[in-house]
Amino acid sequence: MDDVASTWAREDLSALQARGLRRYLEPLDSPQGPVVRVGGELLVNFSSNDYLGLAASASVRAAAIAAVERYGLGTGASRLVVGDTAVHHRLEARLAAFERAEAVLLFNSGYAANTGIIPALVGAGDAVFSDALNHASLVDGCRLSRARVVVYPHADVEALTKALAETPARRKLVVTDTVFSMDGDVAPLREIVEACRAHGAALMVDEAHATGVLGARGAGLCEELGLEDQVDLRMGTLSKALGGQGAYVATSRAVADLLISRARPFIYSTALPAAMCAAAEAAVEAVEKYPALRERLWRNIRRFSDGLRALGLRAEPRSAVFPVVLGGPERALEAARKLREAGVLVKAIRPPTVPEGTSRLRFCLSAEHTLGHVDLALESLRQVGVHERGEE
């Protein structure tokens, strides 16, 4: 077909291919888990955000099946029309208790949450302050808000404080990941809270990669640091450690009510299936009831961190995410290919997901990995001769 759009697409695909940046889909032939089948191969999976192994959990699946039997599959409309169910409200109440928040509001994904919440709170005449390595959904939420966007250097609280002091605005909102998804490092949250207090700014954090992983109960970095009541909005996800799909924001009742009337992804999207809400409720129950899941995850995190350092690679046991930065996209793709030959599935992460010159292998640990799986990954890295930024 020779239409205009196809001509544009072929030109752009050719340019992406030349730079090693074209993406391809690769379907799994198995459930999500520590070992997956891809293209007929069984591979140990280090690319999944299923940190607690709940995506294929029997109790989570059973809750979803029971909800399908009662409510059917689709919800048919947005929650403001006829897509609302008792299961949505029950999950929100369960999450509010989990997060120790006044209210929780569900969204269909973390991307929908972040691109809906920020424009609902700030706009023209306001300013939003965003960490340079924030997730793309936060970046796009900032852009959509039409507020002035001030990007501060990664985790640089001094620069943030200076920007807050020097930027005139009707309202000021600071947004940051708590665990940064591509680097696995943790935001200096105490200091950010202090800066916001000093300058009358609201604070929104994205706990996507911290929910289920950090904190005594698994409620994230805010819980771990005792800052739940000092952060205005905490976005959490149902799709990573909780093993399902969707997201939520834990906040005040007033903010939740405002989002119901103003957050466009909430207003104009068909509601999450009731089955997904029931599954998420069962997952939250598992997180609280079985701390051994988190203990196994952290056992694996420490083992992998120690092993990376033994290989001369930089690593800190701060989260379940470990980057091995190799430089150019071709080098990352080649390393991923060699590891796959050794039975290890770890996808290459390339620009624009990460900055130019920082293409990497991104390892994600799960509670379902055995120590043997972890050691296989480390031994495969040793045999392949991978060193950060490609130094052989």
Side-chain angles (χ1 to χ4, degrees):
M1 187 174 179
D2 236 4
D3 59 272
V4 175
S6 295
T7 301
W8 295 347
R10 284 191 291 271
E11 290 173 355
D12 289 352
L13 286 169
S14 178
L16 288 169
Q17 187 73 37
R19 296 171 58 203
L21 298 180
R22 184 171 177 177
R23 268 75 168 162
Y24 296 91
L25 294 173
E26 190 174 29
L28 300 187
D29 299 323
S30 67
Q32 193 62 240
V35 178
V36 293
R37 185 180 294 276
V38 188
E41 295 181 284
L42 281 177
L43 301 168
V44 180
N45 179 16
F46 283 95
S47 283
S48 173
N49 298 320
D50 182 24
Y51 298 128
L52 297 179
L54 293 176
S57 159
S59 63
V60 171
R61 284 186 286 125
I65 291 167
V68 167
E69 292 294 334
R70 179 170 181 181
Y71 293 97
L73 184 58
T75 49
S78 75
R79 289 183 68 187
L80 289 173
V81 185
V82 292
D84 201 18
T85 72
V87 184
H88 291 84
H89 289 268
R90 194 172 69 223
L91 174 58
E92 287 172 337
R94 186 70 182 82
L95 287 166
F98 177 62
E99 292 281 354
R100 294 178 178 165
E102 192 172 276
V104 155
L105 187 69
L106 292 172
F107 285 84
N108 285 13
S109 69
Y111 194 93
N114 286 340
T115 55
I117 293 166
I118 298 170
L121 293 176
V122 293
D126 302 326
V128 58
F129 303 79
S130 176
D131 187 290
L133 294 187
N134 273 344
H135 189 267
S137 58
L138 287 173
V139 172
D140 288 353
C142 292
R143 291 170 174 166
L144 286 168
S145 73
R146 301 183 183 177
R148 178 179 177 181
V149 180
V150 179
V151 178
Y152 63 91
H154 177 52
D156 189 336
V157 179
E158 183 178 348
L160 170 61
T161 302
K162 186 171 186 290
L164 284 167
E166 294 179 352
T167 305
R170 181 183 64 126
R171 294 175 176 171
K172 299 179 182 181
L173 173 67
V174 175
V175 296
T176 182
D177 286 310
T178 56
V179 171
F180 290 87
S181 61
M182 291 299 120
D183 291 272
D185 61 330
V186 174
L189 199 55
R190 288 190 192 282
E191 293 81 0
I192 291 174
V193 165
E194 291 172 4
C196 289
R197 279 180 172 177
H199 295 281
L203 175 58
M204 173 184 172
V205 300
D206 183 330
E207 293 259 50
H209 293 271
T211 303
V213 176
L214 298 178
R217 296 177 299 104
L221 184 63
C222 291
E223 185 216 347
E224 182 166 295
L225 299 178
L227 297 173
E228 299 105 311
D229 61 347
Q230 298 178 53
V231 175
D232 298 84
L233 303 99
R234 290 170 275 147
M235 195 287 284
T237 182
L238 308 177
S239 64
K240 295 178 174 61
L242 297 183
Q245 181 64 40
Y248 62 92
V249 60
T251 186
S252 69
R253 182 73 263 167
V255 170
D257 287 345
L258 177 66
L259 295 175
I260 289 170
S261 293
R262 190 176 280 177
R264 293 171 69 85
F266 176 86
I267 297 168
Y268 299 112
S269 294
T270 296
L272 279 174
M276 195 57 67
C277 296
E281 188 178 359
V284 174
E285 182 74 17
V287 169
E288 291 197 314
K289 189 175 180 180
Y290 303 112
L293 288 173
R294 209 155 45 256
E295 291 166 9
R296 287 209 310 270
L297 172 61
W298 279 94
R299 174 203 65 180
N300 291 338
I301 288 170
R302 288 188 289 270
R303 177 82 155 230
F304 195 64
S305 178
D306 290 345
L308 288 178
R309 287 199 298 271
L311 292 173
L313 300 172
R314 289 169 289 183
E316 293 293 336
R318 298 173 294 193
S319 72
V321 177
F322 290 88
V324 177
V325 180
L326 298 174
E330 296 85 0
R331 194 179 290 272
L333 288 167
E334 178 64 9
R337 184 188 66 78
K338 290 180 178 178
L339 286 169
R340 185 164 179 159
E341 290 175 354
V344 175
L345 179 64
V346 56
K347 293 297 185 95
I349 306 296
R350 298 160 286 160
T353 306
V354 293
E356 292 285 346
T358 70
S359 291
R360 66 197 61 190
L361 301 175
R362 176 181 176 266
F363 287 85
C364 295
L365 278 293
S366 169
E368 290 298 292
H369 285 130
T370 66
L371 293 179
H373 292 149
V374 175
D375 291 345
L376 172 65
L378 293 167
E379 176 60 17
S380 300
L381 281 169
R382 187 190 67 78
Q383 290 183 1
V384 169
V386 168
H387 295 271
E388 293 222 10
R389 297 197 177 273
E391 296 171 6
E392 304 291 346

